[in-house]
């Protein structure tokens, strides 16, 4: 990395509480190292997977995904989005998109379990695939625990 480049911290956001925790962690880390956060939300059209559902207008799905992503970012940062936060809404498989995005990044940050997976799994399938195949170091952030008190 050249000294003029700002370190990229890529983070996957899927609407789960764990991904919100990962986004907050990525923002704190980026501020510490003078980097920039790239928040990536991956979506796909349910009907694009084959026979699993009725034909749906992909434009409608994209608009719903865009609105949900915007709402999620404002939920995580209610006082305003951090300066320099880049937002990417990408259609595809979450692990594949995040692995591609990890190329040239300083760090890839993912939540331990997002929307998918089985509750008994130690790591979700996306976080596990990212940890195994990303082109940069990966931080798998566990869900924040409610403080006792």
């Amino acid at each position: 990395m050249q000294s003029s480049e700002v370190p990229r911290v890529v983070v996957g956001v899927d609407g789960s509480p764990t991904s919100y925790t990962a986004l907050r962690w990525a923002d704190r880390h980026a501020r510490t190292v003078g980097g920039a956060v790239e928040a990536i939300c991956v979506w796909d059209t349910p009907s694009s997977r084959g026979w699993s559902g009725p034909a749906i207008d992909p434009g409608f799905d994209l608009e719903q995904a865009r609105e949900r992503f915007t709402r999620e970012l404002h939920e995580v940062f209610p006082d305003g989005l951090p300066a320099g936060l880049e937002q990417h809404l990408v259609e595809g498989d979450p692990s594949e998109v995040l692995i591609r995005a990890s190329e040239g990044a300083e760090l890839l940050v993912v939540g331990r379990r997002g929307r998918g997976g089985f509750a008994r799994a130690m790591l979700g399938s996306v976080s596990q695939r990212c940890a195994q195949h990303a082109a940069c170091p990966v931080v798998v952030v566990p869900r924040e625990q409610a403080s006792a008190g």
Side-chain angles (χ1 to χ4, degrees), residues 55-143:
I56 297 173
D57 177 14
F60 178 74
D61 286 346
L62 173 60
E63 188 56 37
Q64 282 188 322
R66 183 177 292 120
E67 289 172 6
R68 186 182 67 239
F69 187 34
T70 299
R71 195 171 47 248
E72 291 167 354
L73 291 175
H74 288 285
E75 194 172 314
V76 174
F77 301 112
D79 296 329
L81 300 181
L85 175 71
E86 290 188 32
Q87 304 167 42
H88 301 282
L89 183 61
V90 182
E91 183 177 13
D93 174 80
S95 54
E96 290 175 13
V97 169
L98 292 172
I99 290 166
R100 272 196 317 271
S102 74
E103 295 175 12
E106 177 195 74
L107 203 58
L108 171 60
V109 183
V110 292
R112 189 171 120 209
R113 273 197 300 272
R115 291 192 176 276
F118 298 101
R120 68 181 178 273
M122 291 296 287
L123 288 176
S125 59
V126 172
S127 58
Q128 185 170 18
R129 282 194 67 205
C130 287
Q132 291 173 333
H133 302 290
C136 66
V138 177
V139 172
V140 180
V141 178
R143 183 174 181 189

Side-chain angles (χ1 to χ4, degrees), residues 4-50:
S4 63
E5 291 183 26
V6 174
R8 287 176 50 235
V9 179
V10 176
V11 59
V13 180
D14 69 2
S16 67
T18 305
S19 76
Y20 294 173
T21 302
L23 181 55
R24 287 183 200 99
W25 191 97
D27 178 56
R28 285 190 306 270
H29 176 76
R31 282 186 277 128
T32 300
V33 300
V37 174
E38 291 183 18
I40 298 179
C41 178
V42 182
W43 72 283
D44 74 12
T45 303
S47 60
S48 70
R49 285 178 254 158

